[in-house]
């Protein structure tokens, strides 16, 4: 048997579907204070924009990304899906700030509520993506300050927290997480009358856990706007990614093989419940084709697509995004 690869260092990014990219851009930059760090296309379907929001430097572990599909109907919520995306802030004062800011922005939200030992502020984005700001207590990596927002540096999101999944049958997801991804179940907590299981990457923390709730009372979800397509986990470099690829194949999990996304290298695996998990390297990063100061200001295309720029730009709909 091959030696197990090093554990993941946390979440890398979360990718969702939007029906109105302009509205989403206003929300994530003007309300949540994130920075648009890459304006590109879906490499598998370049007729579709792919927008990346993150901290001030586009750091791995801070990215929320969106595929733009203007005709998409809303997601039909249900099991076998990602049902919570969290962003980390630090301290109860930050949650008070955000409750006031969301209220002033006309964004409905719950009050700070304890869940799994941390305070959560629950709300939705304009497409209906389920979000929470959580108090990380100062744990986890610190995001780079975004100078382009009016959100005070002390209250800016520090990066992704955990992702929450809801499944009809816990067993195959547990098998993938434990055998395929080398995660450990470390605790459970009640979610209403059901139980949520927490799976840990490495030493864990609010940025390095996956929460899975088993429920038998919901229909199967149908993809659409507001739904999360996949969650990506952080791998340090291509050597580690090759190690994970060998491990997945040895464990008997079909996968995509290596995929060059230009800004990072990836491998995708799907569990029997239909959940898509991506393994993504930290580099080379978003400054490989743009300067840090001007990230996200122009349409960036990977080298594979650059020769088709005129064709791709002609087929893309006009996208007018106001500066934050």
């Amino acid at each position: 048997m091959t030696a197990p690869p090093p554990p993941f260092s946390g979440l890398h990014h979360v990718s969702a579907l939007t029906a109105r990219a302009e509205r989403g851009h206003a929300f994530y930059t003007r309300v949540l204070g994130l920075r648009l760090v890459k304006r590109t296309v879906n490499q598998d379907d370049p007729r579709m924009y792919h927008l990346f929001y993150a901290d001030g430097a586009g750091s791995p572990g801070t990215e929320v990304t969106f595929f733009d599909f203007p005709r998409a109907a809303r997601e039909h919520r249900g099991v076998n899906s990602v049902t919570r995306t969290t962003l980390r802030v630090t301290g109860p004062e930050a949650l008070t700030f955000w409750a006031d800011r969301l209220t002033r922005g006309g964004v409905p939200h719950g009050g700070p509520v304890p869940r799994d030992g941390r305070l959560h502020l629950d709300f939705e984005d304009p497409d209906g993506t389920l979000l929470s700001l959580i108090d990380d207590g100062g744990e986890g990596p610190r995001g780079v300050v975004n100078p382009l927002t009016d959100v005070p540096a002390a209250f800016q999101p520090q990066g992704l927290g955990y992702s929450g999944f809801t499944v009809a049958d816990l067993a195959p997801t547990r098998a993938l997480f434990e055998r395929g991804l080398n995660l450990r179940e470390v605790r459970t907590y009640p979610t209403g009358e059901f139980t949520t299981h927490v799976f840990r990457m490495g030493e864990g923390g609010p940025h390095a856990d996956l929460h899975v709730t088993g429920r038998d009372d919901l229909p199967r979800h149908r993809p659409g706007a507001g739904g999360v397509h996949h969650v990506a986990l952080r791998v340090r470099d291509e050597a580690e990614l090759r190690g994970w690829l060998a491990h997945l194949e040895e464990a008997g999990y079909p996968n995509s093989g290596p995929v060059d996304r230009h800004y990072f290298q990836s491998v995708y695996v799907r569990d029997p419940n239909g959940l898509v998990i991506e393994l993504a390297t930290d580099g080379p990063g978003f400054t490989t084709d743009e300067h840090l100061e001007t990230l996200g200001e122009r349409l960036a295309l990977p080298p594979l697509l650059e020769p088709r720029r005129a064709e791709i730009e002609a087929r893309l709909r006009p996208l007018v995004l106001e500066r934050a």
Side-chain angles (χ1 to χ4, degrees), residues 92-105:
E93 300 86 358
L95 290 180
T96 298
F97 168 86
W98 280 105
D100 292 343
R101 184 176 177 90
L102 292 176
T103 297
R104 285 186 280 106

Side-chain angles (χ1 to χ4, degrees), residues 98-294:
W98 280 105
D100 292 343
R101 184 176 177 90
L102 292 176
T103 297
R104 285 186 280 106
V107 181
H109 61 84
V113 294
R115 189 178 302 133
D116 188 35
R118 296 187 185 276
L119 286 175
H120 288 59
L121 188 68
D122 299 336
F123 58 102
E124 299 179 9
D125 77 4
D127 283 296
T129 306
L130 294 166
L131 302 170
S132 295
L133 290 163
I134 65 171
D135 178 7
D136 66 8
E139 297 180 57
R142 304 291 90 187
V144 175
V145 171
N146 177 14
L148 305 178
T149 176
D150 64 345
V151 177
F155 298 148
Q156 289 185 21
Q158 297 299 315
L160 290 166
Y162 71 86
S163 279
F165 304 81
T166 301
V167 298
D169 182 3
L170 180 65
T173 298
R174 172 183 275 137
L176 170 64
F177 283 8
E178 293 182 340
R179 292 182 58 248
L181 302 177
N182 290 352
L183 309 184
R184 295 175 294 118
E185 183 175 350
V186 293
R187 64 183 180 274
T188 63
Y189 62 91
T191 300
E193 61 183 289
F194 301 96
T195 300
T196 297
H197 303 253
V198 179
F199 294 86
R200 172 165 293 175
M201 307 173 223
E203 296 182 359
H207 64 294
D209 288 336
L210 300 178
H211 295 209
V212 186
T213 305
R215 296 189 61 162
D216 59 5
D217 65 328
L218 297 173
R220 186 182 181 93
H221 104 291
R222 296 209 305 270
V228 173
H229 180 267
H230 66 267
V231 169
L233 311 182
R234 288 181 68 178
V235 176
R236 183 171 56 186
D237 53 31
E238 290 186 56
E240 283 192 9
L241 189 66
R242 288 192 296 270
W244 275 108
L245 181 58
H247 173 77
L248 286 170
E249 291 176 345
E250 190 171 271
Y253 283 97
N255 59 80
S256 65
V259 180
D260 182 0
R261 295 303 190 196
H262 187 49
Y263 308 111
F264 42 84
Q265 304 295 314
S266 298
V267 169
Y268 298 83
V269 61
R270 184 187 298 267
D271 90 334
N273 283 321
L275 302 173
V276 178
I277 305 294
E278 177 183 358
L279 316 184
T281 61
D282 279 354
F286 294 125
T287 56
T288 189
D289 59 1
E290 291 183 291
H291 295 296
L292 176 63
E293 295 75 18
T294 56

